Amino acid sequence: MAERIIQPPIEFETPRLRLRQWRESDLAPFAALAADPEVMAFLLPVATRADSDALAGSFKARIATNGWGFWAVEHKSSGEFAGFTGLNVPLATLPFSPCVEIGWRFARKWWGHGLATEAARAALQVGFERLGLEEIVAFTALGNLRSAAVMERLGMREDAGGAFDHPAVPEGHALRRHRLFRIGRPQR
């Protein structure tokens, strides 16, 4: 049996943010973010604090194994946990699998400051330049106009025929139908 090679975690900064491996001190603010109904309006709820901690633990484990994933985002000047941003291989089999997605989630305090776009732009750069990805996708529930706007600011284009029912969202649920966005490696 081959040994699994564990990559050193990729961590990086933007002018205002530090994208890094998760810490124990991130768990309480992440749980607060996951308990905010406005933040979670277009996502399935995280049921309990234990579920929130387990989700953060899974993000940390993927970064520890792969070197990349959904990084914790720290606001540099305040040192506060702001949310997460990163790259991920979805666990669910999607109509366009295999793929690498980009995603983000920020506490409401940080909305409207361009932080999601700043962090996601840097994560795209890591995906294309350091990981050598050819394409990165993003998807969101139909009504999530804020996330769709970030996707468009990143230069992602909506796949006109790519709307799909997310298999992890129960049938009949208002959030089941999703929009698909794509971006390819920049040509030089």
Side-chain angles (χ1 to χ4, degrees):
M1 182 158 95
E3 249 183 79
R4 182 168 197 151
I5 297 172
I6 297 181
Q7 301 296 321
I10 295 171
E11 297 183 322
F12 53 100
E13 295 185 4
T14 70
R16 298 181 290 171
L17 305 171
R18 184 172 292 112
L19 284 83
R20 58 166 173 73
Q21 179 58 291
W22 289 74
R23 300 177 183 152
E24 186 73 25
S25 60
D26 299 329
L27 297 180
F30 181 59
L33 176 157
D36 185 327
E38 282 191 65
V39 171
M40 301 301 290
F42 295 101
L43 301 162
L44 294 180
V46 177
T48 65
R49 168 66 191 261
D51 293 332
S52 171
D53 289 355
L55 183 59
S58 71
F59 294 163
K60 181 177 182 175
R62 281 185 152 199
I63 293 170
T65 299
N66 301 325
W68 55 275
F70 284 136
W71 292 280
V73 176
E74 178 183 317
H75 187 255
K76 284 170 36 175
S77 67
S78 70
E80 291 180 63
F81 172 87
F84 72 79
T85 301
L87 304 168
N88 179 57
V89 175
L91 296 176
T93 300
L94 303 170
F96 42 89
S97 291
C99 63
V100 173
E101 69 167 314
I102 187 165
W104 50 84
R105 192 175 311 165
F106 281 81
R108 209 168 358 130
K109 169 183 179 175
W110 304 104
W111 290 6
H113 301 284
L115 299 183
T117 302
E118 181 177 323
R121 191 168 280 130
L124 285 174
Q125 185 175 4
V126 167
F128 291 130
E129 295 179 9
R130 294 179 71 176
L131 303 178
L133 300 174
E134 292 298 321
E135 180 184 66
I136 298 172
V137 302
F139 45 88
T140 187
L142 286 182
N144 191 347
L145 302 180
R146 285 180 182 269
S147 280
V150 172
M151 293 167 194
E152 290 169 355
R153 281 194 294 277
L154 294 171
M156 302 187 90
R157 297 290 171 243
E158 186 166 5
D159 184 327
F164 68 100
D165 290 336
H166 199 296
V169 180
E171 282 193 42
H173 194 288
L175 299 178
R176 186 164 168 92
R177 195 76 177 153
H178 275 59
R179 300 166 69 181
L180 171 64
F181 290 76
R182 299 176 181 269
I183 189 167
R185 174 198 292 274
Q187 300 302 309
R188 295 189 187 245

